[in-house]
Amino acid sequence: METVKILSIENATHDVVHLKTEKPADIEYAPGQAVDVALNSAGMENELRAFTITSLPTEPFLEFYIKIYSEHDGVTKQIAKLKKNDTLLIGDVFGDIQYKGVGVFIAGGAGITPFIAIFKDLVSQNKVGNNKLIFANKTSQDIIEGDYFHQHLGKNFINVLSMERKDGFMNGHVSESLIKSQMTSKGLYYYLCGPPPMMDEVLNHLEVLGIKKSKIIIEQF
């Protein structure tokens, strides 16, 4: 584990913090991968939590979007109390989600974080193309970096809200018919990241739609 100083910490939504830290000199990762993080305090050094790195490998800092579970007196609740110049411990890099080619990205809540990194990489290379993003949340207040995705994806950014009805947003859950409506060409990849119950449901939809497992890139959060 390496010790890194917090460069900035601010609220991204009502229960997500946007955090930037120093970058260990020897760290290597691909957009979409995660890293183990721990609090740099007595008794907490081995309480590892996995968070996606949302900064690009070329950037001089590490960036994270971390959902805070304030109802539990755990790691994320303590992270929310940290300030600039406090320190964290950074461990090993891992993760299965990496960009393979044009496709449909399906995210639930904080499961958007690998896709923030991947889309930032595509934007930097001017290769966003016809990639699509279906983003499921409870309400519009839960959407992480919605303005960024609207700017770079336009009509290819589809929001689904399960607990709010609002103009311009779909209501309900990610359905088989919604996924089918985005299957505009053959050979697309399907990138999934979100809570396990949602991912199980989406995987069932993809199976019914005849999508091969080799075309599904998944990370369970």
Side-chain angles (χ1 to χ4, degrees):
M1 303 289 283
E2 292 201 48
T3 303
V4 295
K5 190 181 294 183
I6 293 174
L7 303 176
S8 66
I9 182 167
E10 58 190 18
N11 291 328
T13 73
H14 64 98
D15 63 354
V16 173
V17 297
H18 179 206
L19 186 74
K20 290 183 181 180
T21 74
E22 294 173 326
K23 183 179 182 179
D26 59 349
I27 194 168
E28 294 183 3
Y29 61 95
Q33 288 195 295
V35 69
D36 280 328
V37 177
L39 295 165
N40 190 18
S41 56
M44 296 298 288
E45 305 95 327
N46 296 317
E47 290 288 326
L48 307 181
R49 297 293 183 272
F51 299 119
T52 305
I53 304 169
T54 56
S55 49
L56 296 179
T58 52
E59 292 182 291
F61 53 82
L62 296 184
E63 176 189 63
F64 304 93
Y65 288 82
I66 298 175
K67 184 168 183 179
I68 306 303
Y69 296 92
S70 56
E71 65 273 20
H72 304 299
D73 191 21
V75 172
T76 65
K77 187 174 181 178
Q78 296 304 313
I79 286 175
K81 296 176 182 177
L82 297 175
K83 297 179 175 60
K84 182 178 178 179
N85 294 325
D86 286 342
T87 56
L88 287 168
L89 300 174
I90 301 292
D92 295 331
V93 170
F94 58 92
D96 298 322
I97 289 188
Q98 294 185 40
Y99 187 68
K100 306 284 187 182
V102 175
V104 179
F105 291 75
I106 304 172
I112 191 67
T113 52
F115 304 158
I116 292 176
I118 288 171
F119 275 105
K120 280 177 70 172
D121 189 42
L122 292 173
V123 168
S124 73
Q125 300 179 64
N126 198 27
K127 290 183 178 179
V128 173
N130 203 35
N131 282 290
K132 302 170 188 290
L133 172 60
I134 300 172
F135 194 7
N137 286 281
K138 291 179 181 177
T139 75
S140 56
Q141 300 301 309
D142 298 312
I143 298 172
I144 300 169
E145 290 298 337
D147 290 345
Y148 179 84
F149 289 118
H150 274 300
Q151 178 185 348
H152 293 291
L153 289 173
K155 62 180 175 54
N156 286 335
F157 179 38
I158 302 109
N159 284 282
V160 183
L161 305 178
S162 63
M163 296 177 66
E164 181 184 5
R165 293 184 181 276
K166 190 171 182 178
D167 288 345
F169 297 78
M170 299 189 70
N171 178 254
H173 298 276
V174 178
S175 63
E176 179 187 328
S177 60
L178 173 57
I179 297 171
K180 188 175 182 180
S181 73
Q182 302 307 312
M183 296 169 65
T184 51
S185 62
K186 291 185 177 181
L188 293 174
Y189 284 91
Y190 295 83
Y191 302 85
L192 317 182
C193 190
M198 176 191 165
M199 292 298 95
D200 290 342
E201 194 172 335
V202 171
L203 284 169
N204 286 336
H205 295 332
L206 292 177
E207 185 176 354
V208 171
L209 291 167
I211 304 303
K212 295 177 181 177
K213 288 186 178 179
S214 61
K215 289 292 185 179
I216 300 173
I217 300 16
I218 187 166
E219 191 92 78
Q220 296 273 359
F221 262 54

